[in-house]
Amino acid sequence: ENSEGVINEESVDVTERICKKFLVKMSDDFYQFWDFCVEFSPTDTLGVLKPVDLELTGPFDELAGKLKGKTWQECILHGRHFYDTPEFLTVLTGKDGFHIGYFRDDPKSTNCFMVANTVSSGCVITPIGLNIFSAVKHQIHKKLSNKSVSSEMKRRLQELDDALTKKANELNINLKDMKPAKRKIVAKCFHQIGISVPVDETLDVGYRPLTMNNRELRKVLDKIASCKDKASRDKASEPLQEMITFVQFANDECDYGMGLELGIDLFCHGDQ
């Protein structure tokens, strides 16, 4: 990697390149799904999911050789959407701002699950599977249930579903569960998928709740965003400034989850 963040493409294998460009290690199902896509549609691998109105993006473009010469700064923004927090890495994009990605609470872990968001509907993130096979199968069945889908399209969708299910079963991949059973959420946040942070129950450190609920905090942020001049904005920001002070106290006492919750809520609010 040079001083501008460009990766030496020839010196590392593709898994290492993805790790360096997207700053996370992808889970096994990501590569297994790519192999399935190549096998199912070797001439248009990135477009293999067109029948279900999805296209492969993000780190899949690295596997397809489309991100050569790109810096990690460019890659971590590649395929991202307006409300995608750092925990959300988009890998499939659809119509009208709908997209699917991996969600991980710990950037150093491959322990992740699949989520979806539609930009036009706001910041809410929805769990749709423990792995990408499950997420795609969910979307196939959703489209199959649409009565307006033509018989030819249903045939193509069923063919894709059968092949995907067969491959997943061969790999012993879970296609049923929609979200991790053991993920402990300490706060829902604006995006509703919640945050899970390390909490030492013996010492009672790791997280403390915000001093406002989501409705109250959103009301404060809406008021700040609507202000037309600095004086009114400063006045409206007083409750938020007090909250930030409380976060600093929490950080001093190792309750780092409070600051994470506030930061995500500020990001998800979407206003400057």
Side-chain angles (χ1 to χ4, degrees), residues 106-123:
D106 181 354
K108 296 181 180 179
S109 173
T110 56
N111 185 19
C112 48
F113 59 102
M114 306 305 297
V115 298
N117 167 259
T118 301
V119 178
S120 59
S121 299
C123 65

Side-chain angles (χ1 to χ4, degrees), residues 6-23:
V6 177
I7 310 299
N8 186 333
E9 306 284 346
E10 307 301 326
S11 65
V12 292
D13 66 17
V14 68
T15 58
E16 185 67 17
R17 288 204 307 272
I18 288 177
C19 190
K20 286 180 176 291
K21 288 184 176 183
F22 289 88
L23 308 185

